[in-house]
Structure formats: structure tokens, C-alpha cells
Amino acid sequence: MTSRAEALLVQTCMKRKGHRYWVAAPLDEDETRSFGYVMDDVAWAQAHGYGSRIKQKVLRAKKSDRNLSYRAGLSTRAARTYVTDLAGGPGSEVMAVRLPAGGQIRLATGGCEGEAVRKLYGDQEQWFRADKIATNLTPLYVPDLVADQRFKTAQSRWAACMRAAGHPYRTPADIRSALPEVTSGRSAAQAYRMEVRLAVAEATCARRTGFGDTLRALEEEHSAPVRERYRAEIAKRDQLERAALRRAEQILNH
């Protein structure tokens, strides 16, 4: 909801500056789902495999983005103005956030994109900092999680289930890595059927062995100290997001 409202705010701002701007159609809710280390939703796997067709749909939408073709049709000077009005020019302020596990993310705050974020979230700097910290905590606890004997035991049970089903993979990541080679040389339809078959097997074994449930429990346990350490940032992110959702609802219903 917030992403669409943000795009509508960008559209309003760009029109005010004399540009045309199109808002892309949103994906279905089922298409925006994401999975962590292991897939354990059998129904989703049966319907989408590992989501390759969804990714292709998103890629096609990006390639056919009317904003890109519109900008490509502008003169060099007009295109430069368009980009500046959209994202801010060379003089725009740049925010930087240092991530908990190291590294830094930077963001230009100018243009209609910056204006849209400020209107939706209120304080752009607070939102950017809180959001980037709260959503980049996994590297702090994942090493301990995967070293946990309970994780190793659950994954071994899953691997045994997969071998019994005719898929000798040690980890879910091994399947994703092997998928391009496994489907190579096949027609698009055959490749997709193979993708679905592997995804369903992975999800079925994750359910049958309790790997998915174990992983969620371990993630809750190992992430708890990290979330406590960054509770202020998480609380600020949640607060700003709740306010943004209320504003987004008003924008979409306007």
C-alpha cells in the first residue's frame, strides 16, 4: 500500500513540474511473497515453483516502463531536467546510514522521490535510518543460527527426505544453485515443470521434517538479543510505518 501511495505522490509532483509520469500496476499479494532459507509452503510451490515466472513478469514490466520510454524520447536537456526533478540534481543532500554489520547505504534526498517520502513518512532521515537498520540485522545472528546443532539436525533430516524423493541435495541453497544447470537445454515449459517439481519437493520435506518450523523458532531465539539491542530503531521504524500506512490509505482513497 505504501509503495503505491509513494508512486502516486511522485506522479503528482512530476505533473506539477510539467512532466508525464506513470504509476505501474501493483503485483498481486500472492506474487509479492518471499521465502527465507527454506520454502515450506507447498501450495505456493505448486502454483509458482521458485517464482521464476513472477520474476520474468516483473522484468517485463520494468522493460516496458512507460517512464523509461518517455524519458528516452526527450532531448538531452529535457531528460536532464526530468532526472533532476525526479531524483534531485548534483547539489541534492545525500543521507548515509552505517549498517549494523558494516558497510554503508547512501540516498539522495532531492526531487519528487524525496518529496514523496517526506509526505508519506514525515521525517525522511529518521525513516531512512530506522528502516535500513531494522531490515539489515540478519547478518548479526545468522552465523550463530546455522552453527546451532538443532539447525544442523533439522537440515540433515530434510536432506534425507529429499534423497528419498530422488533429489540428493544437502541444503535448500544447493537446489537454487543447481537449478540453472538442471533446467538447461529444456524448453521453457519443461524447465518450469522441473522448477515446480523441485520446489514442491523442498516444501514437502520442509513440512514433513519440521525444518521450516525449527528454522522459524531458531530465528526467533537467535534474533531476540539483536532485536533487543536495536529496539529503539525497530520501534521508530514501526511507528513511522504505521503513520505512513494511515497516510497511504488517505491517498489511495482520495
Side-chain angles (χ1 to χ4, degrees):
M1 182 188 294
T2 53
S3 60
R4 182 159 180 80
E6 188 175 330
L8 287 170
L9 287 170
V10 172
Q11 182 186 56
T12 300
C13 175
M14 289 296 281
K15 284 184 175 180
R16 190 176 71 242
K17 293 177 181 291
H19 304 290
R20 301 188 71 185
Y21 189 87
W22 290 265
V23 175
L27 291 172
D28 296 334
E29 183 178 349
D30 195 43
E31 295 176 330
T32 60
R33 288 192 61 187
S34 60
F35 295 89
Y37 185 77
V38 67
M39 179 184 293
D40 67 347
D41 188 329
V42 178
W44 199 93
Q46 289 171 334
H48 304 290
Y50 289 108
S52 66
R53 289 186 173 177
I54 295 174
K55 293 173 186 174
Q56 290 166 8
K57 177 182 176 180
V58 172
L59 185 59
R60 287 194 301 270
K62 287 182 178 179
K63 287 183 176 179
S64 62
D65 185 347
R66 295 182 70 182
N67 296 306
L68 294 179
S69 57
Y70 171 73
R71 179 177 139 191
L74 298 174
S75 67
T76 302
R77 182 176 180 180
R80 191 180 302 119
T81 300
Y82 177 92
V83 172
T84 298
D85 288 342
L86 178 63
S92 294
E93 181 182 352
V94 176
M95 294 185 299
V97 174
R98 187 163 296 282
L99 300 178
Q104 191 180 75
I105 295 180
R106 296 165 63 84
L107 176 72
T109 64
C112 287
E113 292 178 340
E115 178 182 307
V117 172
R118 287 188 291 275
K119 285 188 174 181
L120 198 57
Y121 292 95
D123 190 313
Q124 186 180 16
E125 185 173 3
Q126 282 192 5
W127 165 250
F128 181 63
R129 180 178 183 278
D131 180 57
K132 295 310 174 189
I133 290 176
T135 55
N136 284 280
L137 298 177
T138 52
L140 298 181
Y141 63 83
V142 164
D144 290 335
L145 190 157
V146 298
D148 192 307
Q149 187 57 49
R150 291 168 293 176
F151 170 83
K152 295 177 180 179
T153 299
Q155 182 162 259
S156 294
R157 289 198 304 265
W158 174 87
C161 176
M162 289 294 286
R163 281 196 304 274
H167 307 294
Y169 295 101
R170 292 178 56 254
T171 73
D174 289 345
I175 302 178
R176 321 296 164 83
S177 298
L179 199 57
E181 184 177 349
V182 169
T183 57
S184 178
R186 300 175 184 268
S187 68
Q190 290 172 331
Y192 186 67
R193 282 196 294 272
M194 177 61 72
E195 174 189 338
V196 169
R197 181 184 171 197
L198 285 171
V200 168
E202 175 182 330
T204 300
C205 282
R207 286 283 185 181
R208 189 171 294 163
T209 63
F211 189 21
D213 290 336
T214 298
L215 190 58
R216 279 185 287 273
L218 290 174
E219 181 156 13
E220 180 69 22
E221 178 183 325
H222 284 281
S223 68
V226 175
R227 287 185 284 109
E228 175 62 23
R229 195 186 320 160
Y230 290 96
R231 66 182 184 279
E233 289 82 0
I234 294 171
K236 174 57 70 174
R237 181 190 187 278
D238 292 346
Q239 174 197 337
L240 294 173
E241 188 168 50
R242 284 193 299 269
L245 282 168
R246 291 193 294 270
R247 296 187 189 107
E249 189 173 1
Q250 294 172 349
I251 292 166
L252 296 176
N253 293 332
H254 182 68

